[in-house]
């Protein structure tokens, strides 16, 4: 079953692999590069939203 994310920035639909069927965290749109905070349970997308810049920096170890 395909997991589809609708990019909040460019509006493009992009697919995620089965590795994301239970996942919570950042996902990057490969078309425009926008990073989304997503929550996926049993291949169902529960939440898609923008990542706070500060939070993203912490996850990448910049701060
Ligand atoms: Zn995009």
């Amino acid at each position: 079953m395909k997991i589809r994310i609708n990019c909040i920035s460019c509006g493009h639909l992009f697919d995620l692999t089965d590795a994301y069927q239970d996942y919570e965290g950042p996902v990057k749109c490969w078309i425009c590069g926008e990073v989304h905070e997503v929550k996926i349970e049993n291949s169902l997308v529960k939440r898609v939203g923008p990542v706070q810049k500060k939070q993203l920096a912490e996850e990448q170890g910049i701060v």
Side-chain angles (χ1 to χ4, degrees):
M1 184 175 168
K2 291 269 186 176
I3 304 160
R4 300 206 124 174
I5 301 288
N6 198 345
C7 178
I8 56 173
S9 180
C10 70
H12 217 101
L13 282 171
F14 57 100
D15 297 329
L16 297 176
T17 64
D18 288 346
Y20 289 90
Q21 57 188 298
D22 282 291
Y23 177 79
E24 184 171 9
V27 168
K28 192 174 186 179
C29 172
W30 54 270
I31 295 149
C32 71
E34 178 77 17
V35 180
H36 308 69
E37 177 74 22
V38 302
K39 185 175 185 183
I40 301 161
E41 290 177 6
N42 298 319
S43 300
L44 292 173
V45 180
K46 299 288 185 181
R47 182 163 53 84
V48 180
V51 172
Q52 302 288 328
K53 285 214 167 69
K54 184 173 182 291
Q55 180 188 344
L56 184 65
E58 285 171 359
E59 282 169 5
Q60 292 178 340
I62 296 169
V63 175

